[in-house]
Every structure is written in C-alpha cells, then in structure tokens.
Amino acid sequence: MSSSFSTTNPAQKSEHTLAVLDDYLSLSETHFSSLPIGVSYFPSTLHAEHDTAALVARLQPYNMISSMRERTAFPATILAQLPNLKLLLTTGVRNASIDMSCCKERGIVVAGTKGTRHGETGAPPPGYASTTQHALSLLLALTSRVAVDDAVLKNTGGWQSGPAIALAGKTLGVVGLGKLGGAMARSCILGLGMRCVAWSASLTPQKVREVCDELGLPEGSIACVGKEELFAQADVVSVHYVLSQRSRGIVGREDIAKMKSSAILVNTARGPLVDEDALFEALDQGRIYGAALDVYWGREPLEPDSRWRTTPWGRDGRAQVVLSPHMGYVNKDTMETWYAEQAADVRRFIEGQEVGLRLA
C-alpha cells in the first residue's frame, strides 16, 4: 500500500474536502478525481482502538470521509473528535463499526451503497454475492490442495503432495441460512452433489422450506437441524451469520469439539463469530482436518507476526489451513460500483440533495 496523497481540481474552489480511507487497491481515484473538491487518499489503515490520536489528527480537517466496509471503525469516541465531519460514506447496506446513534446526534449523514449496475454488459446479475464465490473457492482450494500443490510445484521441485477430498455425498453444515448461507448451500448441492443441513438460533423447518423454494431447490434439499447435530454431522461447516453482540462466539469451543476429525470449517463472515483460541487449538493439534478463513480477529490487515501467518500449517500433525486477506467482497465489479455510488453521493451532498441510501 502506498503512502497518502492528495488531488484537487484546480478549476474549482470548494469548502468541501474528502478523505478516502483504506483503498488498498487504488480503485477510487478514477471516481473521485473529477469532483470539484479537494480529495486526499489514505490507503494505510489506522485503527480506532490502537491508533486513536493519529486517526483523529488525520481526519479532523475533512468534512467528508469515504470508508470501505469496516476497515476503519467510527465509534463515538472518534466521531466526537471530528467536529467538521458532515458526510460519512460507507459501502453496503450496514456497517456495525459505525456508531449510527452518535452520527444522528451530531448531524452526520451516513450513506451506504446498493451495489447495483443496471444494464451494463458483463456486470454481475441482481442477487450476485461475491462472498459466496469466495467461500466456495476457499473450500475447493483446501479440499483439492490447490494452495499446497501450487507451493510444492513452484518452490520445491516436487509433484503431488497428497490426495484431494471428494465432496460429493459429503454433508455441508450451514450456520446462518440467510442470503449468503442459502447461496452457499445451493452451490454445494447443485454444483458439488453435497447434502446440506442448516442451523441458526431462529431457523425453523418452515423457513427452510421457504428458502428451498426461493433457491429453486426441491423440498427437503436442506434439513433443519439442531446446533449439536450440525457440528457432529457436517463434513464442512460454513459460517454465514451476521455479527452482533448476541452472535459473537456463536461457534464456540464445545461446537468445535463436536466436529469430526475429518471436518473442515470455512469462515467468510466475521472472525469473532468463532472462538479464536478454540479453533486455533483444534487446528494446531490436528483435531480437525482443516480450515479456510477469509476473516480474522482484531486488526486487519493481519499483523505480520500473527500466529495465523507464522504457524507451519500442515506440518507435524497440524491441520491444513488456507488463508485469504478478507477478499470475500473485493472484486473489481463490486468495488467500482461502490466507489461510483459514493462519488455520486458526494455530488448530491454538495448540491444539497439527499444521498442515495441514507443509513443515518
């Protein structure tokens, strides 16, 4: 990630200034460069909890901020120190890291994005969720040993490192059968020939029947089971819960202990949904086959010395682990669409119009 930089349209003078945060792939400038305001880019993340003073100093001059998902948090302790802030742009339709009540109290408009691109050739169709594609990619990378064999071929001169795992006939356990969980279930049932069971705190057999109907699956394609049954039966557990105070740690030590020694856990939702220490211990001791993770606990980007990076996975009895850097939503189509929506909202705001999707 490069250092911060600023751009200004010299033909315009404006009272408005915009700080663009956490654009790791430098995709936003194309959309913001034509705005009649000064724009500054800060691609390196500062964390609200650990870098409070530096983050406040960075953001105090600006009355508009573009944020990307939950990479930078905006709790009340930060918002209270940003007296100039009038517009806070985020992406998607929710952001648990922004204190919405505080924004309302302080008169800060929070704008989300719908992520829609109508009529463009090659654009993803309505309802497409890139996180599902990524969850499936992680599962296949682990079970087909793609990452391990790629490293063997490139770095050691070796050939086949071990047998792949056939998924047809195996059981997928979906924790959270919402839009993303349902899409994962459908992909694995139709594409891989897997059986599927599902659980959430509020899931009922009637709701499962409705989900099957919405997904175009025959009734009975997904079974509604208890939590204990899911973790005991599933060959693959895929987590698709929304993180909240109630759901934090929803996959606990006891749940992980019930998993088969041949089982795999996939998490593309949020790290804190799973008990980190319990999962790490199970993997480090080889008590389950493996895990495929796109989300983590604490800071992101993941610290260079994080045990998730440095542990020699797959050696000395340890489980197989495939990691990706929170890429579930990071595809070019989605990111470009989000930044285009944010740029349009900046124009609306400076012209005194309502933003496209107001969250607070």
Side-chain angles (χ1 to χ4, degrees):
M1 291 178 281
S2 60
S3 58
S4 62
F5 63 98
S6 302
T7 62
T8 304
N9 185 337
Q12 301 285 344
K13 291 185 178 179
S14 174
E15 64 190 76
H16 300 289
T17 53
L18 171 68
V20 181
L21 307 183
D22 309 324
D23 177 12
Y24 301 156
L25 302 179
S26 302
L27 297 173
S28 61
E29 188 177 0
T30 300
H31 300 280
F32 293 132
S33 60
S34 62
L35 294 172
I37 59 174
V39 183
S40 299
Y41 300 85
F42 301 96
S44 297
T45 299
L46 293 176
H47 296 270
E49 182 179 353
H50 304 287
D51 310 308
T52 304
L55 180 61
V56 169
R58 170 184 283 183
L59 299 181
Q60 272 187 339
Y62 300 93
N63 72 329
M64 295 184 287
I65 295 172
S66 161
S67 65
M68 175 52 64
R69 302 288 283 185
E70 298 168 4
R71 293 176 182 178
T72 295
F74 289 90
T77 52
I78 296 294
L79 294 168
Q81 300 181 72
L82 303 178
N84 297 317
L85 183 59
K86 300 301 179 186
L87 175 64
L88 178 54
L89 302 157
T90 185
T91 50
V93 298
R94 66 169 69 91
N95 189 328
S97 71
I98 297 175
D99 189 322
M100 297 294 179
S101 297
C102 181
C103 286
K104 290 178 182 178
E105 291 172 3
R106 299 184 64 83
I108 300 168
V109 174
V110 181
T113 57
K114 300 175 183 178
T116 53
R117 296 169 66 189
H118 298 294
E120 292 189 34
T121 302
Y128 167 76
S130 62
T131 303
T132 304
Q133 175 181 316
H134 196 67
L136 193 60
S137 299
L138 285 173
L139 173 60
L140 295 176
L142 184 65
T143 55
S144 295
R145 300 182 66 84
V146 175
V148 174
D149 283 344
D150 178 74
V152 166
L153 285 167
K154 292 176 179 176
N155 302 325
T156 72
W159 193 235
Q160 297 173 352
S161 65
I165 296 172
L167 290 171
K170 298 288 198 304
T171 298
L172 171 71
V174 176
V175 178
L177 193 64
K179 174 185 174 183
L180 299 182
M184 183 66 169
R186 185 177 189 275
S187 297
C188 290
I189 292 167
L190 298 181
L192 300 176
M194 299 185 74
R195 298 175 58 248
C196 183
V197 297
W199 172 86
S200 74
S202 59
L203 192 63
T204 64
Q206 176 59 33
K207 177 59 178 177
V208 171
R209 286 192 288 271
E210 293 172 1
V211 170
C212 285
D213 185 59
E214 292 169 3
L215 295 173
L217 296 172
E219 186 174 333
S221 296
I222 304 172
C224 181
V225 299
K227 190 181 185 188
E228 290 187 13
E229 187 178 353
L230 182 144
F231 280 91
Q233 284 189 9
D235 298 291
V236 176
V237 174
S238 192
V239 182
H240 300 278
Y241 240 78
V242 174
L243 180 64
S244 67
Q245 287 303 316
R246 291 173 61 186
S247 64
R248 188 175 296 269
I250 197 77
V251 179
R253 184 174 294 275
E254 293 183 0
D255 304 311
I256 294 169
K258 289 183 175 68
M259 294 175 69
K260 301 176 182 179
S261 61
S262 57
I264 292 164
L265 186 137
V266 179
N267 190 5
T268 54
R270 289 293 184 271
L273 291 166
V274 180
D275 183 319
E276 179 184 11
D277 289 337
L279 178 60
F280 186 90
E281 289 167 16
L283 295 167
D284 193 49
Q285 296 168 15
R287 288 191 275 112
I288 61 175
Y289 177 82
L293 306 176
D294 187 47
V295 289
Y296 304 94
W297 302 261
R299 290 191 182 201
E300 288 187 17
L302 205 57
E303 299 274 357
D305 60 353
S306 165
R307 59 182 176 174
W308 293 101
R309 288 185 188 260
T310 60
T311 299
W313 299 115
R315 302 179 195 170
D316 302 321
R318 296 182 183 88
Q320 297 290 337
V321 175
V322 171
L323 306 176
S324 61
H326 206 155
M327 292 292 290
Y329 63 91
V330 185
N331 68 81
K332 194 170 189 299
D333 286 302
T334 297
M335 302 289 278
E336 295 281 9
T337 300
W338 282 345
Y339 280 128
E341 288 186 69
Q342 285 196 346
D345 274 339
V346 171
R347 290 187 181 278
R348 292 187 186 104
F349 186 79
I350 63 180
E351 292 170 4
Q353 301 175 21
E354 183 60 51
V355 295
L357 179 63
R358 185 162 181 167
L359 305 181

